[in-house]
Amino acid sequence: MAEKFETIVNNYGKQVLNTAIKILGDSQKALDVHQEVFLAIWQRWHSFNGQTKWSSYLYRTTVRKAIELAKKSRKEIPTENLPDKKSNDLPENRLKETELRELITKGLLKIPERQADVFVLAKIEGLKTEEIAQILQCSPQTVRVHLHRAVKQLAEELKGYLK
């Protein structure tokens, strides 16, 4: 049992850490998520039946734990991976990016968990609909619906900020 767990940690630990870093933008917080993910697996080890697809399970668990940590610490989720981000080092542009990041984070904390998961996986992680569907164990159509609703609700949150 311990050997199999160690194998999973060795095989997937870097993936969990990298995903958490992308979501949180903070390597120290990502290490906390890494530990939380594998602690959760260890605590539920007896309930796994050997049919678990570890890559999908770990991805889903990592995203959830990272968002939970963001909620607890009110840490903003980085937006540098979001499409159409225009990078400019002018102080007013950096301030706008910081404000936008904070608003997106607040918005993600307000929308349903599944919608936030889909948004993070699609727009921050850059995964395709089919990959997200596999990770979240739902249909691609369900992923598209969740993403549409997340974008719509985030747009509502940002309407005063964006023209």
Side-chain angles (χ1 to χ4, degrees), residues 73-90:
S73 66
R74 293 301 212 195
K75 171 88 174 109
E76 62 188 42
I77 296 173
T79 56
E80 57 266 0
N81 293 336
L82 294 177
D84 301 321
K85 179 183 178 259
K86 294 171 178 61
S87 178
N88 196 331
D89 281 345
L90 296 174

Side-chain angles (χ1 to χ4, degrees), residues 13-32:
K14 190 172 183 178
Q15 173 190 349
V16 167
L17 189 60
N18 288 337
T19 299
I21 288 170
K22 283 183 187 177
I23 294 169
L24 295 168
D26 180 331
S27 58
Q28 197 60 40
K29 297 283 184 192
L31 284 170
D32 293 343

Side-chain angles (χ1 to χ4, degrees), residues 53-66:
K53 184 171 181 191
W54 288 108
S55 59
S56 298
Y57 178 81
L58 288 168
Y59 222 132
R60 188 174 62 244
T61 304
T62 302
V63 169
R64 186 138 305 126
K65 293 285 184 189

Side-chain angles (χ1 to χ4, degrees), residues 101-114:
R101 182 176 292 128
E102 289 172 359
L103 288 171
I104 290 172
T105 301
K106 286 177 185 175
L108 285 172
L109 298 176
K110 290 179 182 178
I111 66 176
E113 190 173 279
R114 185 56 73 113

